Amino acid sequence: MSHKTRVSRRRLLKQGALLVSTGFVLNSRNGFSQTTLAPADSTKVLGPLPSELGTRTPFESIKREVGRFDPDGYSLTPLEKLSGIITPSDLHFERHHAGIPSVDPEWYELLIHGLVDRPLKFSLADLKRFPSESRICFIECAGNGYQSSLDRSDIPEEVTPGQLDGMLSTSEWTGVRLATLLREAGASTRATWFLAEGQDAAVMSRSIPMTKAWDDALVVYAQNAEALRPEQGYPVRLLLPGWEGNSSVKWLRRIEVSDAPFMTREETAKYSDAKSAGKVELFTFTMGPKSLITSPSYPAVLPGKGWWEISGIAWSGNGKIEKVEISVNGGKSWQSANLHEPVLSKCTTRFTFPWYWDGKATIFMSRTTDDQGFHQPSVTEARKGRGPRTYYHNNVIRPWQIDNDGRITFGLKTLV
Amino acid sequence: MNSSVIHLFIRAAVKIVFLSTVATTICLAENPNLPERFSIGREPSSNEIALWDIDIMPDGKQLPSGQGTIVEGEQIYLQKCLACHGPNGRDGVNDQLVGRFGPDNDFANDKSLNKTIGNYWPYATTLYDYINRAMPMTNPGTLTADEVYSLVAYLLYLNGIVDKSTTLDAKSLPLIKMPAYSMFYWSEEVKDLVGTKNR
């Protein structure tokens, strides 16, 4: 803060709007100063001029929540602060194990080989020459929501929606169908699996069924209209709509077409699901239907009875969201929420519900059903075929608890 | 069959082949105006492919030449692995590597259980694949084939899966049966996607 600004602020306290305006003008015609001090009358003040890159207003504070375990780490999308369905690109969640690689787009190549007529390498410019496609869809980590455990002692109460389910983001992705690239290489019709491998220092690899390649798998190079962010896989990543995030391999360097799964470390020792004693399930790709009320939520305190809009997001890897239902009486009765357009397949959908809160303690929650007939499980249903340590694919109903003083906390403990 | 029936047969067969080819071309291209191939991309040399083709499948066919012993593995482990994974593969700051398999292990409910190579990895070849590509975490992709074989042998020994005299190489590694192998089964979802598979 410059001396001029500090002097201007002292004058404001003594004198009035015009002098403050002067201070503001002197310091900020070429850009916003890092201050949340607004002039008393903005119609009297010339403001900053146009700039090459926009910035958020200093009046809003929004950021990911970061966890670093060098070289491992994650960052969470602040879901409670967002409207609509799109995640701003710089708020997209992260999960990687060897840091973000720096890849020069001039030298980047994607190799496709294995059971193909001709192995091929594509540059980034090559990939952009193929017929392209755009799709708005979510990416969710399989481990998202692990805190909604079925073990009471593991369930937190003071947790925001972002802290609970923040490894979920939605973007418009643009790229070329993997099927188009496989045809270019002449992939064999007897191939049943392919390996996708990334070029970060973890060189992470996953086996994917070829049916997904022929279905809707994309090789993407754009995220929300611009080039992919480095954290999301610049310059090219695999995008498997509706499937667990780990399988949408970032910093994609290689596709190997085969007739058997490769049994990588990620799909065996990590992203497998222990269902009961001595039984572990392999290859659970699809993210199930889930809904989450993002507002009101912890740590909000409703000041009193009256109309408060319940707002949240719902998504399913199976297809479109068919309905979202809200209960404001602990599950005794349910009513339909409004779904905001567009309602897209394997994409987040915004829902809202006008709620007259009577000022009394209660539990409010949402549950969703997708257009393939699958629904978000209740606690009782969620217990079937999993235990508190099954860990992945946690999509049980997420209740919020409000007390007589309007204080809101995560309420799953009350149902488990 | 007389010759006129055979003739009809052949004509029908040719029609079917022709129509299915046309149908396939149209379906695959999704748009009758687009070609099956766009002639975009370049053909890499086999050396280029070999540089990146580092994965090891359960059949072990791509395992390189080389070999490893437990004695050598222990030396490499002390230098390059202990700092993260702890002495004897336990009590480190990163993933626990050593733990005995129990047929009644309940990873869905038992909070005291950590997943280790011994109790949760279905394939020994995956151990080669993973160590080779990603370890040590601070210096990945720097181990020689002999070093990887030795580390795999040492970790399997610590987990009670091989004895101390074992030498591992491309032939013997794929033959190792991991105790946790019996726990794993394919989901209904993937069986629908790829068809039923004999494991």
Side-chain angles (χ1 to χ4, degrees), chain B residues 1-7:
Chain B
M1 260 191 277
N2 64 32
S3 63
S4 58
V5 172
I6 295 170
H7 197 56

Side-chain angles (χ1 to χ4, degrees), chain A residues 70-143:
Chain A
D70 193 4
D72 208 314
Y74 66 82
S75 67
L76 308 174
T77 297
L79 298 171
E80 65 278 5
K81 298 210 169 177
L82 300 177
S83 306
I85 61 173
I86 294 292
T87 306
S89 297
D90 60 358
L91 296 174
H92 195 296
F93 85 89
E94 299 173 82
R95 184 77 179 103
H96 36 80
H97 303 275
I100 300 160
S102 181
V103 180
D104 187 334
E106 293 292 307
W107 294 103
Y108 170 80
E109 283 187 304
L110 169 63
L111 169 66
I112 297 187
H113 73 117
L115 293 181
V116 299
D117 289 336
R118 63 202 78 82
L120 288 172
K121 268 188 161 183
F122 302 105
S123 67
L124 181 59
D126 288 338
L127 294 174
K128 289 181 177 178
R129 288 176 59 193
F130 284 103
S132 66
E133 194 171 297
S134 296
R135 180 170 192 164
I136 305 176
C137 55
F138 70 83
I139 295 182
E140 183 180 18
C141 174

